[in-house]
Amino acid sequence: MDLDQLAALRTAEGSAALAMAAPLAGGDPLAAAVRLRSTGVPADLAAAALTQAELRRRAVGKFGPAAAGMFFT
């Protein structure tokens, strides 16, 4: 993740994309991307949100529920 992606994820639109991506993490990445894109999320923001959602899902074992609010690279 670069600084531009982080900035985009910290906007209201990015926060909404992260919330939509969270339940999709761990599933079919193509289907998840299509679902986000179908709601109007731009491709680059959808990709960043889905990546963060997957990284957060994997980090729960180490960080517990706090992982949901962290940003990972």
Side-chain angles (χ1 to χ4, degrees):
M1 173 173 34
D2 61 29
L3 290 177
D4 290 335
Q5 290 171 324
L6 176 60
L9 289 172
R10 295 188 57 155
T11 65
E13 184 181 24
S15 185
L18 281 167
M20 287 187 282
L24 303 174
D28 177 16
L30 182 57
V34 168
R35 182 140 184 215
L36 278 184
R37 297 277 292 126
S38 72
T39 65
V41 177
D44 56 338
L45 186 57
L50 288 167
T51 298
Q52 277 308 301
E54 178 59 23
L55 292 171
R56 287 175 174 184
R57 185 187 70 78
R58 288 194 242 162
V60 168
K62 184 172 185 176
F63 297 105
M70 296 178 172
F71 289 91
F72 299 95
T73 57

